[in-house]
Amino acid sequence: MTRSPLIELLRYAAILLAVAITLVPILWMVSIAFKPVAEWQAAGADLTWIPRDPTLENFRYLFGRSDSALIVALERTATRPILASILAASFGTLIAMTAGTAAAYGLSRFGAGANLPLALIQLRLFPPMAVMIPVMIMWAFLSLMDTWWGLALIYGIVTLPFAFWLMKTFFDDMPREIEEAALVEGCTRLRVFLKVTLPMMRAPLASATLFVFILNWSDYLVALLLTTRQWATIPVYMASLSSSMTGQLYGAKAALGLIAAVPPVILGILIQRHLVRGLTFGALKQ
């Protein structure tokens, strides 16, 4: 059954509209990131998409190398927040994926812990603020406040349900006959998991890892409550970029936003050949 030309036209128009809605804020951020102070402070008819005088001043400002007289000097540069985000998000993702994959495999193959899925999803049912108040007390008692490892630990705990449910779905869709054949050949269950199952799950594992990493990388509330100054992450640091002279430092924020987009994009490029297969794993299973 062929679609009419009008339906096809409306379909493509809807796709273009969705792409435009998605890309316009990103393109505007890129534009502001390379504008000098006078241009991103402009209003009304003075606003332009393309910078009249492109500059790297906003990027230099983030790292304490700006000599602009229109912006006050930074109390702290963006170096430590960038490092904090990389460490906390990376190790938090490692914790969530390691624990989530192991738990998902055990439940999928052995049916152990029948109440585990419900127990894990309960971590996401409570309002974040209600959960974070006791966490702040515990972290203060354990001297984990304002540390990247304390932030990584809570990131791993918070995103564990996502890692578990994603991987459990993938393991359920994977045929067990291959594992059973390896067991018949004399492999131990651990060896089967490491040498047979995980290599076959590279694509789903890559897509789940990217999803969990983005959740950790973009977090604001947890980092705001568990860090004060030394290990504040990029979102927390970005919220503090303001000046009594110019108000919100939109140019610096846009530049930091571009920097913040780099790690997820690089990770996505590195695992792109696994993403489509991972996201559609089991979709055609009858």
Side-chain angles (χ1 to χ4, degrees):
M1 179 178 175
T2 59
R3 296 192 182 104
S4 66
L6 179 60
I7 294 178
E8 285 293 321
L9 181 62
L10 292 175
R11 179 168 170 264
Y12 284 110
I15 293 174
L16 290 175
L17 178 62
V19 171
I21 293 174
T22 303
L23 290 182
V24 164
I26 298 175
L27 295 176
W28 187 244
M29 179 182 69
V30 173
S31 174
I32 293 178
F34 293 97
K35 286 181 177 179
V37 178
E39 290 191 35
W40 56 255
Q41 277 188 312
D46 293 331
L47 289 174
T48 58
W49 274 96
I50 301 176
R52 301 188 188 95
D53 186 18
T55 179
L56 295 176
E57 188 67 27
N58 295 311
F59 295 90
R60 288 196 293 265
Y61 173 73
L62 289 173
F63 298 98
R65 300 179 181 275
S66 173
D67 55 359
S68 174
L70 297 178
I71 322 178
V72 296
L74 279 173
E75 294 183 7
R76 51 193 173 123
T77 66
T79 304
R80 180 65 71 89
I82 293 173
L83 178 62
S85 288
I86 292 174
L87 291 174
S90 299
F91 281 91
T93 301
L94 178 63
I95 293 171
M97 291 305 302
T98 301
T101 301
Y105 182 77
L107 188 63
S108 177
R109 291 297 183 262
F110 308 111
N115 296 324
L116 181 60
L118 180 59
L120 285 177
I121 203 63
Q122 284 177 345
L123 291 172
R124 308 296 304 183
L125 296 180
F126 294 99
M129 188 60 68
V131 176
M132 289 310 301
I133 292 174
V135 169
M136 291 175 63
I137 298 173
M138 288 189 293
W139 258 231
F141 177 77
L142 297 172
S143 299
L144 293 176
M145 290 290 290
D146 203 19
T147 61
W148 70 263
W149 53 89
L151 198 56
L153 180 58
I154 195 63
Y155 278 170
I157 295 172
V158 169
T159 54
L160 176 59
F162 294 106
F164 169 79
W165 280 99
L166 285 171
M167 295 308 299
K168 184 180 182 301
T169 302
F170 295 142
F171 282 129
D172 289 343
D173 289 336
M174 179 181 174
R176 304 187 183 190
E177 289 76 8
I178 300 176
E179 295 178 340
E180 293 171 353
L183 290 171
V184 171
E185 293 295 328
C187 290
T188 63
R189 175 60 71 174
L190 179 61
R191 187 174 179 83
V192 169
F193 177 68
L194 296 177
K195 299 296 184 180
V196 178
T197 306
L198 284 184
M200 293 181 62
M201 297 291 290
R202 283 196 300 265
L205 193 61
S207 59
T209 299
L210 178 61
F211 177 72
V212 172
F213 178 82
I214 291 175
L215 287 178
N216 290 330
W217 181 259
S218 59
D219 167 74
Y220 174 74
L221 178 62
V222 174
L224 177 66
L225 297 176
L226 296 185
T227 60
T228 54
R229 182 178 179 84
Q230 293 299 320
W231 291 100
T233 57
I234 290 177
V236 177
Y237 177 77
M238 186 181 295
S240 68
L241 289 176
S242 61
S243 166
S244 59
M245 297 174 60
T246 59
Q248 296 293 326
L249 302 178
Y250 294 114
K253 289 186 176 185
L256 186 57
L258 282 183
I259 295 173
V262 170
V265 170
I266 292 178
L267 182 60
I269 292 174
L270 291 177
I271 65 175
Q272 63 177 334
R273 65 190 183 95
H274 299 297
L275 280 180
V276 175
R277 183 170 180 268
L279 292 173
T280 59
F281 190 83
L284 302 179
K285 183 179 178 181
Q286 300 295 330

